[in-house]
Amino acid sequence: MMLIRRPLVLVLLLLASCGEPTDKPLATGETSSPPVSYEGTWELKEGRAPEGPIEISQKWRITLTIDGDQWGGLSACNYYGLSPEVDGDAISIEGVGGTEMGCHPDVAETEARYHSALLAVDTIERSSKTLTLTGSDTALIYAFVPPPPTAELTEVRWELESIIYGDGPDGLASSAHPAHLYFDSDGTFDGSTGCRGLDGEWIEAGDRVAFTYFGADEGKCSQDFAEQNDAIINLGDGFTFDIEGDTLTIYGRFSDTGLQYRAGSN
């Protein structure tokens, strides 16, 4: 088994679970409004850094997952993490760290502006499903993203039915060779591309599933399997998914090609 190691493990482990914040008890006679909760995953919908506007792209998403004092997510290209100081509606961020994957220059500029904006913010506000961070010449406006239904994903043998070219109503489906995926609730994973076996370990990372490691059998696939094999291997970079009834639809983080599976017998 060939092991594909990914440098985002430490960042993802910080974001693996989201618990409810614990309120400190008030002293005798003290009154206070309940503290605002910023917990959850948020996706950037509009942004401006001191250097200028931050480009928003569905393919190169920017997210922020907040779990207690652990903050981080996707910054267009890389995974990132930070440790802020929050006092009421005041916020201070001293540094941003994360993975160091090479990016297209335009995407790298988007990521740099986002990091710069994070370091410039000094105010945080939540209003219903919107999170806003502001500072001098800086504004980051996020929308709340509900967690993925990972309970519905696990303990099911998903049998590949089709490959989808494009996203949304304009996507075109093509038949696929037999292959499967299986996500165990204990965090392990196995499957196949149709011509190569797979195994790994997965976690929930914000609104997506990510792998702390992802392995594939060595060897080459025939030309008939090449496209399908590549699309499934690309899931190793993390993916979003949707489940309707017994149908699972998956899109890899960097892929415009989707995969549709049907729940089979375990």
Side-chain angles (χ1 to χ4, degrees), residues 25-31:
L26 300 177
T28 302
E30 183 181 359
T31 61

Side-chain angles (χ1 to χ4, degrees), residues 6 65 106 115 128 140 150 152-153 163 167 180 200 204 225:
R6 305 193 178 275
T65 294
D106 291 343
H115 288 184
S128 185
L140 299 171
T150 49
E152 300 176 29
L153 179 70
I163 301 174
D167 196 3
H180 79 279
E204 184 179 316
F225 283 87

Side-chain angles (χ1 to χ4, degrees), residues 41 43 61 63 65 74 145-148 204-209 239-241:
T41 293
E43 181 171 0
R61 300 170 62 230
T63 65
T65 294
L74 296 172
V145 180
E204 184 179 316
D207 66 333
R208 66 181 55 238
V209 167
F239 62 86
T240 55
F241 68 94

Side-chain angles (χ1 to χ4, degrees), residues 10-150:
L10 292 178
V11 176
L12 293 179
L13 289 177
L14 296 177
L15 309 176
S17 63
C18 289
E20 294 298 323
T22 301
D23 298 341
K24 295 182 179 179
L26 300 177
T28 302
E30 183 181 359
T31 61
S32 176
S33 300
V36 176
S37 173
Y38 305 115
E39 302 273 317
T41 293
W42 306 85
E43 181 171 0
L44 189 68
K45 295 300 182 181
E46 183 178 348
R48 180 176 181 82
E51 297 80 6
I54 299 172
E55 183 177 355
I56 305 298
S57 168
Q58 186 58 34
K59 183 174 182 181
W60 302 97
R61 300 170 62 230
I62 297 175
T63 65
L64 172 62
T65 294
I66 301 174
D67 177 13
D69 61 356
Q70 302 295 343
W71 295 38
L74 296 172
S75 54
C77 181
N78 286 281
Y79 288 87
Y80 73 98
L82 55 90
S83 296
E85 293 290 337
V86 180
D87 183 9
D89 63 357
I91 182 172
S92 174
I93 299 172
E94 298 297 331
V96 180
T99 57
E100 298 180 351
M101 182 171 62
C103 314
H104 185 279
D106 291 343
V107 180
E109 175 61 23
T110 295
E111 185 165 84
R113 289 191 181 191
Y114 177 61
H115 288 184
S116 175
L118 288 172
L119 296 173
V121 301
D122 54 27
T123 303
I124 182 169
E125 178 184 5
R126 176 176 180 174
S127 176
S128 185
K129 301 297 184 180
T130 301
L131 180 71
T132 304
L133 304 179
T134 55
S136 179
D137 295 322
T138 299
L140 299 171
I141 302 173
Y142 304 82
F144 180 76
V145 180
T150 49

